[in-house]
Coordinates of all heavy atoms in Angstrom, one line a residue:
L944 N 0.9 -1.2 0.0 CA 0.0 0.0 0.0 C 0.9 1.2 0.0 O 1.7 1.5 0.9 CB -0.9 0.0 1.2 CG -1.9 -1.2 1.4 CD1 -2.8 -0.9 2.6 CD2 -2.7 -1.4 0.1
H945 N 0.8 2.0 -1.1 CA 1.7 3.2 -1.2 C 1.0 4.4 -0.7 O -0.1 4.8 -1.2 CB 2.0 3.4 -2.8 CG 2.7 2.2 -3.3 ND1 4.1 2.1 -3.3 CD2 2.3 1.1 -4.0 CE1 4.5 1.0 -3.9 NE2 3.4 0.4 -4.4
P946 N 1.5 5.1 0.3 CA 0.8 6.1 1.0 C 0.6 7.4 0.2 O -0.1 8.3 0.6 CB 1.6 6.4 2.2 CG 2.9 5.9 1.9 CD 2.8 4.7 1.0
G947 N 1.4 7.6 -0.9 CA 1.1 8.7 -1.8 C 2.2 9.8 -1.8 O 1.9 10.9 -2.4
F948 N 3.4 9.6 -1.3 CA 4.5 10.6 -1.3 C 5.1 10.7 -2.7 O 5.8 11.7 -3.0 CB 5.5 10.3 -0.3 CG 6.2 9.0 -0.4 CD1 7.3 8.8 -1.3 CD2 5.8 7.9 0.3 CE1 7.9 7.6 -1.5 CE2 6.4 6.7 0.2 CZ 7.5 6.5 -0.7
N949 N 4.9 9.7 -3.6 CA 5.6 9.7 -4.8 C 4.7 10.2 -6.0 O 5.1 10.1 -7.1 CB 6.0 8.3 -5.2 CG 7.1 8.2 -6.3 OD1 7.8 9.1 -6.5 ND2 7.1 7.1 -7.0
Y950 N 3.7 10.9 -5.7 CA 2.8 11.4 -6.8 C 2.6 12.9 -6.6 O 2.4 13.4 -5.5 CB 1.4 10.6 -6.6 CG 1.7 9.1 -6.6 CD1 1.3 8.4 -5.5 CD2 2.3 8.5 -7.6 CE1 1.5 7.1 -5.4 CE2 2.5 7.1 -7.5 CZ 2.2 6.4 -6.4 OH 2.4 5.1 -6.3
P951 N 2.5 13.6 -7.8 CA 2.3 15.1 -7.7 C 1.1 15.5 -7.0 O 0.0 14.8 -7.1 CB 2.2 15.4 -9.2 CG 2.9 14.2 -9.9 CD 2.6 13.0 -9.1
P952 N 1.2 16.5 -6.2 CA 0.0 17.1 -5.5 C -1.1 17.4 -6.4 O -0.9 17.8 -7.6 CB 0.6 18.3 -4.8 CG 2.0 18.1 -4.6 CD 2.4 17.3 -5.8
D953 N -2.3 17.2 -6.0 CA -3.6 17.4 -6.7 C -3.8 16.5 -7.9 O -4.7 16.7 -8.7 CB -3.6 18.9 -7.3 CG -3.5 19.9 -6.1 OD1 -4.1 19.7 -5.1 OD2 -2.8 20.9 -6.3
S954 N -2.9 15.5 -8.1 CA -3.1 14.5 -9.1 C -4.1 13.4 -8.7 O -4.3 13.2 -7.5 CB -1.8 13.9 -9.5 OG -1.3 13.1 -8.5
K955 N -4.7 12.7 -9.7 CA -5.5 11.6 -9.4 C -4.8 10.5 -8.5 O -5.3 10.0 -7.6 CB -6.1 11.0 -10.6 CG -7.2 11.8 -11.3 CD -7.7 11.2 -12.6 CE -8.7 12.0 -13.4 NZ -9.1 11.3 -14.6
K956 N -3.6 10.3 -9.0 CA -2.8 9.3 -8.3 C -2.6 9.6 -6.8 O -2.7 8.7 -6.0 CB -1.4 9.1 -8.9 CG -1.4 8.1 -10.1 CD 0.1 7.8 -10.5 CE 0.2 6.7 -11.5 NZ 1.6 6.3 -11.7
A957 N -2.2 10.8 -6.5 CA -2.1 11.2 -5.1 C -3.3 11.1 -4.3 O -3.3 10.6 -3.2 CB -1.5 12.7 -5.1
R958 N -4.4 11.6 -4.9 CA -5.7 11.5 -4.2 C -6.1 10.1 -3.9 O -6.5 9.7 -2.8 CB -6.8 12.2 -4.9 CG -8.2 12.2 -4.3 CD -9.1 13.2 -4.9 NE -9.4 12.9 -6.2 CZ -10.4 12.1 -6.6 NH1 -11.2 11.6 -5.7 NH2 -10.7 11.9 -7.9
F959 N -6.1 9.2 -5.0 CA -6.5 7.9 -4.8 C -5.6 7.0 -3.9 O -6.0 6.2 -3.1 CB -6.6 7.2 -6.2 CG -7.7 7.6 -7.1 CD1 -7.6 7.7 -8.4 CD2 -8.9 7.9 -6.5 CE1 -8.7 8.1 -9.2 CE2 -10.0 8.4 -7.3 CZ -9.9 8.4 -8.7
A960 N -4.3 7.4 -4.0 CA -3.3 6.6 -3.1 C -3.5 6.9 -1.6 O -3.5 6.1 -0.8 CB -1.9 6.9 -3.6
T961 N -3.5 8.3 -1.3 CA -3.6 8.6 0.1 C -5.0 8.1 0.7 O -5.0 7.5 1.7 CB -3.5 10.1 0.2 OG1 -4.5 10.7 -0.6 CG2 -2.1 10.6 -0.1
E962 N -6.1 8.4 -0.1 CA -7.3 7.9 0.4 C -7.4 6.4 0.4 O -7.9 5.7 1.3 CB -8.5 8.4 -0.4 CG -9.8 8.0 0.1 CD -11.0 8.5 -0.9 OE1 -10.7 9.5 -1.6 OE2 -12.1 8.0 -0.7
G963 N -6.8 5.7 -0.6 CA -6.9 4.3 -0.7 C -6.2 3.6 0.3 O -6.6 2.6 0.9
T964 N -4.9 4.1 0.8 CA -4.2 3.5 1.8 C -5.0 3.4 3.1 O -5.1 2.4 3.8 CB -2.9 4.2 2.0 OG1 -2.1 4.2 0.8 CG2 -2.1 3.7 3.2
S965 N -5.6 4.6 3.4 CA -6.4 4.6 4.7 C -7.6 3.8 4.6 O -7.8 2.9 5.6 CB -6.9 6.1 4.9 OG -7.7 6.2 6.0
R966 N -8.3 3.8 3.5 CA -9.5 2.9 3.5 C -9.2 1.4 3.4 O -9.9 0.6 3.9 CB -10.3 3.4 2.2 CG -11.0 4.7 2.4 CD -11.7 5.1 1.1 NE -12.8 4.2 0.7 CZ -13.7 4.4 -0.2 NH1 -13.6 5.5 -0.9 NH2 -14.6 3.5 -0.5
M967 N -8.1 1.1 2.7 CA -7.7 -0.3 2.6 C -7.4 -0.9 4.0 O -7.8 -2.0 4.3 CB -6.5 -0.5 1.7 CG -6.0 -1.9 1.6 SD -7.0 -2.9 0.6 CE -6.3 -2.5 -1.1
K968 N -6.7 -0.1 4.8 CA -6.4 -0.6 6.2 C -7.7 -0.8 7.0 O -7.8 -1.8 7.7 CB -5.5 0.5 6.9 CG -4.1 0.6 6.3 CD -3.3 1.7 7.0 CE -1.9 1.8 6.3 NZ -1.2 3.0 6.9
E969 N -8.6 0.1 6.8 CA -9.9 -0.1 7.5 C -10.6 -1.4 7.0 O -11.2 -2.1 7.8 CB -10.7 1.1 7.4 CG -10.2 2.4 8.1 CD -11.1 3.6 7.8 OE1 -12.1 3.5 7.0 OE2 -10.7 4.7 8.3
Y970 N -10.6 -1.5 5.7 CA -11.3 -2.7 5.1 C -10.7 -3.9 5.5 O -11.4 -4.9 5.9 CB -11.2 -2.5 3.5 CG -12.1 -3.6 2.9 CD1 -13.4 -3.3 2.5 CD2 -11.6 -4.8 2.4 CE1 -14.2 -4.2 1.9 CE2 -12.4 -5.7 1.9 CZ -13.7 -5.4 1.6 OH -14.5 -6.3 0.9
C971 N -9.3 -4.0 5.5 CA -8.7 -5.2 5.9 C -8.9 -5.6 7.4 O -9.1 -6.8 7.7 CB -7.1 -5.1 5.7 SG -6.7 -5.1 4.0
A972 N -9.0 -4.6 8.2 CA -9.3 -4.8 9.7 C -10.7 -5.4 9.8 O -11.0 -6.3 10.6 CB -9.1 -3.5 10.4
E973 N -11.6 -4.8 9.1 CA -13.1 -5.2 9.1 C -13.3 -6.6 8.6 O -14.1 -7.4 9.1 CB -13.9 -4.3 8.4 CG -15.4 -4.5 8.4 CD -16.2 -3.5 7.6 OE1 -15.7 -2.5 7.2 OE2 -17.4 -3.7 7.5
H974 N -12.5 -7.0 7.6 CA -12.7 -8.3 6.9 C -11.7 -9.3 7.2 O -11.6 -10.3 6.4 CB -12.9 -8.0 5.4 CG -14.1 -7.2 5.0 ND1 -15.3 -7.8 4.8 CD2 -14.2 -5.9 4.9 CE1 -16.2 -6.8 4.5 NE2 -15.6 -5.6 4.5
D975 N -10.8 -9.1 8.2 CA -9.8 -10.0 8.6 C -8.8 -10.4 7.4 O -8.4 -11.5 7.3 CB -10.4 -11.3 9.1 CG -11.2 -11.1 10.5 OD1 -10.8 -10.3 11.2 OD2 -12.3 -11.6 10.6
V976 N -8.5 -9.4 6.7 CA -7.5 -9.5 5.6 C -6.1 -9.1 6.2 O -6.0 -8.0 6.8 CB -7.8 -8.7 4.4 CG1 -6.7 -8.8 3.4 CG2 -9.1 -9.1 3.8
P977 N -5.1 -10.0 6.1 CA -3.8 -9.7 6.6 C -3.2 -8.3 6.1 O -3.2 -8.1 4.9 CB -2.9 -10.8 6.2 CG -3.8 -12.0 6.1 CD -5.1 -11.4 5.5
C978 N -2.9 -7.4 6.9 CA -2.3 -6.2 6.6 C -1.4 -5.6 7.6 O -1.8 -5.5 8.8 CB -3.4 -5.1 6.3 SG -2.9 -3.5 5.8
D979 N -0.1 -5.4 7.3 CA 0.9 -5.0 8.3 C 1.4 -3.6 7.9 O 2.0 -3.5 6.8 CB 2.1 -6.0 8.3 CG 1.6 -7.4 8.8 OD1 0.6 -7.5 9.6 OD2 2.3 -8.4 8.4
E980 N 1.3 -2.7 8.9 CA 1.8 -1.3 8.6 C 3.3 -1.3 9.0 O 3.7 -1.1 10.1 CB 1.0 -0.3 9.4 CG 1.4 1.1 9.1 CD 0.4 2.1 9.7 OE1 -0.7 2.3 9.2 OE2 0.8 2.7 10.7
L981 N 4.1 -1.5 8.0 CA 5.5 -1.7 8.2 C 6.4 -0.4 8.0 O 7.4 -0.2 8.5 CB 6.1 -2.8 7.2 CG 5.5 -4.2 7.4 CD1 6.0 -5.1 6.3 CD2 5.8 -4.8 8.8
G982 N 5.9 0.5 7.1 CA 6.6 1.6 6.7 C 7.6 1.3 5.6 O 7.9 0.1 5.3
V983 N 8.0 2.3 4.9 CA 8.9 2.1 3.7 C 10.1 3.1 3.9 O 9.9 4.2 4.3 CB 8.3 2.3 2.4 CG1 7.7 3.7 2.2 CG2 9.2 1.9 1.3
L984 N 11.3 2.6 3.6 CA 12.5 3.4 3.5 C 13.0 3.6 2.1 O 13.2 2.6 1.4 CB 13.6 2.6 4.4 CG 14.8 3.5 4.8 CD1 14.4 4.4 5.9 CD2 15.9 2.5 5.3

C-alpha cells in the first residue's frame, strides 16, 4: 500500500493513493485480511 508521497499534489494518483491506503487498512481490519503497517525506507 503506497501512501502517496511519490505522486504530484492534486493528481488523481495522489488522491486515490492517500485515500486508498487509509480505506484499505480499515477494510482489511473489518474483513480479517492480513495487513501489516511496516513503513517504507
